[in-house]
Amino acid sequence: MALGAIAAIKEAGKEIDVPIVGIDATADGQDAIKSGEMAMTVYQSAKGQAESSVQAAINMLEGKDLAADTECEVSSESSYVLYFPFEPITADNLDSIK
């Protein structure tokens, strides 16, 4: 959606004068950060999410805390909701994406 916003602003012949922020740290999003069109994105490790999800399922089967042995946090609103860690990505740390 952030890339769509950038395209719409350009198509309207306007300058990008607000920070545009995306998610998922896609290759196109990274390119937009490099070019200065997008201010930041958020990287979430698909591998980390998959591993933590499997561990959470094992934890449920074994009667353990949902987030045990994961890097996740359990929601304060529901003991069955996990928050997965994310990393803000800007031009300053763009090379840190794994």
Side-chain angles (χ1 to χ4, degrees), residues 28 35 38 58-59 64 69 77 81 86-87 89:
D28 289 339
S35 72
M38 195 159 80
I58 292 168
N59 291 343
K64 296 179 182 176
D69 300 316
E77 296 177 14
V81 174
F86 64 89
E87 180 180 357
I89 302 295

Side-chain angles (χ1 to χ4, degrees), residues 71-84:
E71 295 181 13
C72 302
E73 292 181 25
V74 177
S75 168
S76 61
E77 296 177 14
S78 172
S79 61
Y80 294 104
V81 174
L82 283 180
Y83 292 117
F84 292 86

Side-chain angles (χ1 to χ4, degrees), residues 6 26-41 89-95 97:
I6 291 168
T26 63
D28 289 339
Q30 292 175 49
D31 289 342
I33 290 172
K34 287 176 188 172
S35 72
E37 295 176 322
M38 195 159 80
M40 70 168 282
T41 188
I89 302 295
T90 65
D92 294 334
N93 67 343
L94 193 56
D95 295 332
I97 296 177

Side-chain angles (χ1 to χ4, degrees), residues 10-53:
K10 286 180 170 180
E11 188 175 312
K14 304 285 184 180
E15 292 291 321
I16 299 173
D17 59 357
V18 296
I20 308 265
V21 177
I23 59 168
D24 293 335
T26 63
D28 289 339
Q30 292 175 49
D31 289 342
I33 290 172
K34 287 176 188 172
S35 72
E37 295 176 322
M38 195 159 80
M40 70 168 282
T41 188
V42 175
Y43 173 74
Q44 296 178 341
S45 167
K47 181 178 184 250
Q49 288 178 0
E51 290 172 348
S52 293
S53 295

